[in-house]
Amino acid sequence: MCGIVGYVGRSEAAPILLDGLRRLEYRGYDSAGVAIVNGDRVETRKCAGRIAELGKLVAERTPAGTFGISHTRWATHGKATDQNAHPHFDASGNLALVHNGVIENYQALKEELIRGGDTKFVSETDTEVLAHMIGKLYDASAPTNGSTPPQHEKNRLVAAVRVALQQVIGTYGIALVHRDIPDFIAGARRGSPLVLGVGKDENFLASDVSAIVAYTRDAVYLNDFDVVAVERDKFEISSVAGERGSYEVSKVEFTDEDIKKGDYPHYMLKEIFEQHGSVRDAMRGRLSLEECTAKLGGLEMTPAQLRDVGRIVLTGCGTALHAAMVGEYLIEQLAGLPTEIEFASEFRHRNTPMTRDTLVFAISQSGETADTLGALRESRRKGYRTLGICNNVASTIARESDGGVYMHAGPEIGVAATKSFTSQVTILALIALLLGRMRHLSTSEGTVIIEALEALPEKIEQTLKLSDHIRAIAKKYIAAPGMLFFGRQFNFPIALEGALKLKEITYLFAEGHPSAELKHGIIALIRPEIPSLFIAPDDAVFSKNLNNVEQVKARKGPIIAITSGSGAERLASVADDTVTVPSAPDFVMPVLTAIPLQLLAYHLAVELGRDVDKPRNLAKSVTVE
Ligand code: F6R
């Protein structure tokens, strides 16, 4: 939700800020802006629309200057208009601020400023309140006896930031500049990510390292309540309360090359086609054929602790929650442990009864999803061991959990999650194997599971070869007003995931259901214009699925079937289109069946002329509640 980039150095700031924003566009893309200090002026350009629109505006009249801030927005308070685009200014017009997050008590703070008499608001945003508050505090602390050394100005601004933030309820990642303080940016975070990029004679602030990895791979991931004072050649971290902060400079694990689209027309397609590698990386070094189990040192749990786990809660949002649902089937089947799925947004606010021996997993690609983070914090607060399954190594969830498993899927830029899903499912299979081997699974059963997992990357490669066939199917259904997805057992969550992918990037209505639910109401929706997609691999429930397929056929509903093995033959007389993925045991099948659904959504979205990587109203990382 919103991306921010700040730069202070010796180069012209405008191209660096714009380049950074382009890389953060996945976080929000309804309006954008920059503010660059140029001598005695803060020059700003901002507008509703994509970064490309801002690029045109900047190209017309490029603000000169070597330090500045910028923002790409996903609107929370106030429509996507030029006025609401960040940066926002204080009353003097000298202080410019960008913000990612939500100031929950902004209305009360705004009323207080208005009562003060001299503050006029020009936007509908919560952010503007913060700009006014900091500006006012800064101006009020000005010495009465003329000018002061520059260091005093910096300290005064940082002090104003602290005092203002102490009054704020909500979340923020902010960056600000002031006309009168050359070569200086202040930043702070609480609940929204902020990273400091440490360069040579230049430093950066950004919501995500991908914005700055082209310039430096040395990063300091700021913690909640950190306030940072950034200059060209130094920086200082303290807390909102004014204490000196400690920090660690980390090496970013990926390079600029990893976040390029290469020859692919979209990130989403690139990421779909990376899945044989990302699934392999999720398993790398984590399978032991000798002990017939998974090795997951990151869980930081002894064998006795693992053995004593009595219940599992899996929580997350969206696609991550669908992976959790596959995990529920996996852990129950392979480890025999009661497992529950919790929408993170519900879990954190409801009083789920949990036994003492419950182990909680928070699943999140970004590691920054506000609801999942809230669930993690609530679970830890109650004293439950809470582990993360994250892709972003430096993320808040990764850092705040008691341990976990990294996905190692590489950066996922496309807004629709693809490779992170199959990595999450793979990791949940590893967890199920590990927990199972602590219980009833024999060495030979463990070996069978390991072999099935190890065979996956090659089977994914074969599945990806179906892309052209799936594109042809997508073309056939271009006029469909919506689509229904059905699956049973391990593939029920895949039906939900297939429907979500389709909704997100084609904007068509889509629903996912357990196949057998069809006759309990959904069948009323069946008509010749609405295709039903059945995920019906050749498994123990194939015949049951086939019954449901027949029920749709009898009502003239077109059928697309994702199947395996002899399924294609058995479906031949009923399915209009069949996609056959390689055969695999039922517990790994979701990794394979998810891929044709990703490709179907992708190809249909392209045929419909949708903006695949930046679907309307969405943002990749949902850091607001
Ligand atoms: C769907 C999608 C979202 C995310 C959800 C959680 O394609 O991308 O549903 O899965 O917002 O995001 P993370 O995994 O970053 O917590």
Side-chain angles (χ1 to χ4, degrees), residues 299 360-363 376 386-390 397-398 401-406:
L299 298 183
V360 180
F361 284 92
I363 307 173
L376 169 114
T386 310
L387 306 171
I389 300 179
C390 295
I397 293 177
S401 49
D402 294 311
V405 190
Y406 287 121

Side-chain angles (χ1 to χ4, degrees), residues 316-321 363-369 372 397 407 412 414-418 420 424 497 500-501 504 619-622:
C317 302
T319 289
L321 191 83
I363 307 173
S364 173
Q365 186 283 129
S366 63
E368 299 292 348
T369 300
T372 312
I397 293 177
M407 297 177 204
E412 188 179 69
V415 165
T418 52
S420 63
Q424 286 159 357
E497 178 57 10
L500 179 63
K501 289 287 91 87
E504 280 183 300
K620 179 94 183 140
S621 180
V622 187

Side-chain angles (χ1 to χ4, degrees), residues 323-489:
M325 292 172 84
V326 181
E328 180 183 23
Y329 284 92
L330 282 165
I331 297 171
E332 290 191 351
Q333 177 155 322
L334 303 186
L337 268 175
T339 305
E340 275 156 66
I341 302 307
E342 293 278 356
F343 285 93
S345 54
E346 292 296 313
F347 181 60
R348 58 181 302 201
H349 294 299
R350 80 182 238 245
N351 216 2
T352 307
M354 302 210 290
T355 51
R356 281 165 183 272
D357 54 3
T358 301
L359 181 63
V360 180
F361 284 92
I363 307 173
S364 173
Q365 186 283 129
S366 63
E368 299 292 348
T369 300
D371 289 320
T372 312
L373 179 60
L376 169 114
R377 287 180 176 158
E378 180 63 7
S379 160
R380 292 195 72 216
R381 190 191 62 74
K382 289 181 176 165
Y384 292 101
R385 188 172 188 84
T386 310
L387 306 171
I389 300 179
C390 295
N391 193 30
N392 183 354
V393 194
S395 63
T396 314
I397 293 177
R399 284 186 294 156
E400 288 196 15
S401 49
D402 294 311
V405 190
Y406 287 121
M407 297 177 204
H408 298 309
E412 188 179 69
I413 312 279
V415 165
T418 52
K419 63 176 177 173
S420 63
F421 176 76
T422 44
S423 294
Q424 286 159 357
V425 172
T426 304
I427 286 167
L428 286 160
L430 299 183
I431 292 168
L433 168 63
L434 173 66
L435 292 169
R437 286 283 293 127
M438 303 304 296
R439 292 170 175 75
H440 63 273
L441 279 186
S442 66
T443 49
S444 57
E445 285 167 320
T447 306
V448 168
I449 296 167
I450 291 180
E451 283 169 1
L453 285 164
E454 285 184 331
L456 270 178
E458 205 186 311
K459 292 184 181 181
I460 293 173
E461 277 192 272
Q462 289 168 32
T463 307
L464 290 168
K465 292 192 180 132
L466 299 167
S467 182
D468 286 342
H469 172 51
I470 296 166
R471 187 194 299 132
I473 298 175
K475 280 190 175 163
K476 199 168 146 185
Y477 293 106
I478 192 161
M483 205 177 280
L484 296 167
F485 292 76
F486 299 100
R488 279 178 183 255
Q489 304 224 323

